[in-house]
Amino acid sequence: MAAFPEISKIEYEGPDSKNPFAFRHYNPTEMVEGKSMADHFRFSVVYWHTFRGGGADPFGPGCARRPWMLADGTVNDAIERVGMAFEFMEKLGNPYYAFHDRDVAPEGDSLAETNKNLDAVVAALKEQQERTGIKLLWGTANLFSNPRYVHGASTSPNSDAFAFAAAQVKKALEVTLELGGEGYTFWGGREGYQNLYNTDMKREFDHLAKFLHMAVDYAKEIGFTGQFYIEPKPKEPTKHQYDSDAAACINFLRAYDLDQHLKLNLETNHATLAGHSMHHEMEYAGSQGFLGSIDANTGDELLGWDTDQFPTSYYLTAQCMLSLLKYGGFTTGGVNFDAKVRRESMEPDDLFHAHIGGMDAFAQGLKIAAAIRADGELDQMVKDRYRSWDSGVGAEIEGGKHDFKSLEAYMLEKGDVTPCESGRQELFENIVNRYVG
Ligand code: XUL
Ligand code: CO
């Protein structure tokens, strides 16, 4: 059954188009900095929000009208939904998608039955991937919805929860390999705490690291060479998530000897929940060599929770693309729309408007970032700001030629610092506006 019979393939029509079912900025074949837009973004649609989300919030059930919701939860319904999902993605033109094991197939009465259900749906996913050429950006396992994970999965005080999660990720890795997935993501789920009085934090961190090492080892054993990611988020569902932000994740990876095996999958609304901008998280991860992939969305300025809205701000997307271009772009990662339409957007075609808007916002962000970089003015101003490090005592410090004693001698002779210059923040902002506006 066609899910969107009245919608045809979304095409690029250019900035003057008023067709709501066309791209105004995203032109997959357009070259920017020597690379096509399609290759810059590697856009990905998420199965969970787009094909399983109904719009429920803590105050009421979802009111979304979705063709695939006629399905009643059987494996056959899940397989039928696969066809509809790929119809959507084929019409949208995204080259990638991502899913959790439990998004695509229902759980059975036993682990064996659950795995069998998953295999049946994976066969359908594989068929559709081959038919359409749409690929799996990354796979993942849902280690947070089932009540067995109420206290966490690998960080649960119940060792059986760890064991079940291990079995689940083993299967998810096999499935990701089977589908040619280019990565595998660990988002913390309930790996965190609600109350420190009842928590052995050190033991939980040790278990989390042990779990990730087991995943890395198993991937090697079965020949899965995709990139592993860890996805920072500071809270929700727990009060404190262990993978709280880029800096905390990188510290954890380094402390437990995992830094060679995982990069970060950064998400905008997680960054803002952590009190950072996405720009900050991307700069931090990029500068440390951990920028892997991004989950593209945005929060609401007036709501303090993870609303996962589609990104529409050119400032946001330009900042993301400035960082991404600076650190060399994606290799295995992509722009994954971990985003949902709002509860009131209940019509099926709202899913198209949301993704078209997000893809166009990123395309425009790329054009803005590339223009800023091509002109070089902003870069030059930053370089100038640090010019005291290019010669004299600055270059000597960077070159390892000084210590506290020699710097004391230098200052005793000089007397005081060369007067500091203006940071010119407003000027920097005005220059950025030249490209955005
Ligand atoms: C939750 C979240 C997840 C991960 C995958 O906030 O972002 O959907 O992206 O588990
Ligand atoms: Co995410």
Side-chain angles (χ1 to χ4, degrees):
M1 181 182 104
F4 304 95
E6 69 294 352
I7 292 174
S8 42
K9 175 111 180 59
I10 309 300
E11 304 284 357
Y12 171 71
E13 290 185 3
D16 296 332
S17 173
K18 294 209 166 120
N19 176 1
F21 292 101
F23 294 117
R24 293 171 55 245
H25 300 294
Y26 178 60
N27 181 5
T29 56
E30 188 174 326
M31 301 298 282
V32 179
E33 294 200 6
K35 206 158 111 176
S36 72
M37 281 199 183
D39 287 344
H40 273 289
F41 299 121
R42 296 160 53 87
F43 282 127
S44 164
V45 166
V46 303
Y47 215 94
W48 51 100
H49 288 313
T50 298
F51 308 118
R52 302 312 311 277
D57 71 11
F59 304 95
C63 13
R65 297 171 196 139
R66 300 285 183 259
W68 46 83
M69 279 185 177
L70 300 172
D72 67 5
T74 66
V75 175
N76 281 345
D77 293 331
I79 289 172
E80 193 173 352
R81 189 181 301 117
V82 168
M84 300 186 197
F86 274 80
E87 180 199 336
F88 174 84
M89 296 194 282
E90 227 186 336
K91 288 180 171 171
L92 182 67
N94 56 293
Y96 288 94
Y97 75 115
F99 67 85
H100 301 84
D101 48 3
R102 305 302 177 243
D103 303 333
V104 293
E107 285 204 58
D109 290 334
S110 64
L111 180 59
E113 195 184 314
T114 300
N115 287 348
K116 208 169 127 218
N117 291 351
L118 187 55
D119 284 336
V121 182
V122 164
L125 290 168
K126 193 168 181 181
E127 210 178 290
Q128 290 289 344
Q129 283 188 210
E130 281 163 5
R131 184 184 68 75
T132 60
I134 295 170
K135 294 183 280 188
L136 181 60
L137 187 67
W138 45 259
T140 191
N142 179 329
L143 303 178
F144 42 91
S145 296
N146 191 291
R148 71 174 69 90
Y149 299 129
V150 61
H151 303 300
S154 68
T155 64
S156 174
N158 180 340
S159 54
D160 272 357
F162 183 111
F164 200 104
Q168 198 179 324
V169 171
K170 173 180 175 289
K171 180 70 183 171
L173 282 169
E174 291 161 6
V175 157
T176 303
L177 175 67
E178 165 79 7
L179 293 174
E182 296 183 21
Y184 187 91
T185 293
F186 291 94
W187 164 62
R190 294 179 194 275
E191 315 291 34
Y193 64 81
Q194 299 287 13
N195 191 321
L196 280 175
Y197 291 140
N198 75 0
T199 301
D200 185 339
M201 188 194 268
K202 170 76 169 66
R203 212 163 179 183
E204 295 200 0
F205 266 114
D206 289 350
H207 293 168
L208 179 59
K210 197 175 278 296
F211 192 87
L212 294 177
H213 273 292
M214 285 183 187
V216 167
D217 290 346
Y218 189 64
K220 209 166 174 188
E221 201 178 317
I222 61 172
F224 174 68
T225 54
Q227 176 65 51
F228 278 111
Y229 306 106
I230 189 165
E231 183 177 321
K233 184 175 184 181
K235 53 190 166 194
E236 286 188 32
T238 65
K239 176 163 78 177
H240 178 87
Q241 304 273 121
Y242 289 140
D243 50 6
S244 51
D245 65 2
C249 285
I250 292 171
N251 177 62
F252 165 75
L253 295 175
R254 285 179 175 150
Y256 285 95
D257 221 9
L258 285 159
D259 48 315
Q260 298 307 307
H261 304 296
L262 288 99
K263 288 198 162 109
L264 300 189
N265 177 40
L266 298 168
E267 178 166 327
T268 319
N269 206 168
H270 297 177
T272 50
L273 284 177
H276 305 309
S277 63
M278 182 63 162
H279 199 188
H280 164 96
E281 289 289 83
M282 291 188 70
E283 281 297 312
Y284 189 81
S287 67
Q288 298 294 313
F290 283 83
L291 183 51
S293 196
I294 66 172
D295 272 8
N297 62 25
T298 191
D300 185 295
E301 279 172 18
L302 301 181
L303 292 171
W305 43 296
D306 196 13
T307 55
D308 284 341
Q309 291 161 210
F310 279 82
T312 54
S313 158
Y314 294 158
Y315 286 105
L316 171 65
T317 56
Q319 288 166 5
C320 288
M321 295 316 293
L322 273 172
S323 288
L324 197 63
L325 294 174
K326 179 167 160 187
Y327 295 108
F330 294 123
T331 47
T332 55
V335 175
N336 179 49
F337 285 111
D338 190 356
K340 56 181 180 248
V341 293
R342 281 157 280 195
R343 186 169 186 257
E344 301 78 6
S345 305
M346 68 267 281
E347 296 297 343
D349 61 7
D350 286 315
L351 293 173
F352 277 95
H353 297 310
H355 284 87
I356 290 169
M359 289 160 85
D360 263 348
F362 263 89
Q364 182 67 349
L366 170 64
K367 290 189 223 166
I368 292 165
I372 290 174
R373 282 160 57 85
D375 282 359
E377 188 176 351
L378 217 60
D379 257 359
Q380 192 53 50
M381 284 166 63
V382 175
K383 275 205 191 80
D384 281 352
R385 200 166 170 242
Y386 289 86
R387 68 186 181 285
S388 75
W389 291 92
D390 295 336
S391 61
V393 72
E396 289 164 18
I397 295 171
E398 283 192 349
K401 297 203 176 87
H402 276 289
D403 55 22
F404 273 11
K405 282 185 291 178
S406 65
L407 290 173
E408 181 192 47
Y410 166 75
M411 260 308 146
L412 284 170
E413 195 188 329
K414 183 164 182 179
D416 207 341
V417 302
T418 307
C420 289
E421 296 170 357
S422 168
R424 303 222 182 278
Q425 293 180 60
E426 294 75 11
L427 175 61
F428 274 86
E429 285 160 356
N430 293 353
I431 290 174
V432 168
N433 267 2
R434 263 193 231 149
Y435 299 89
V436 177

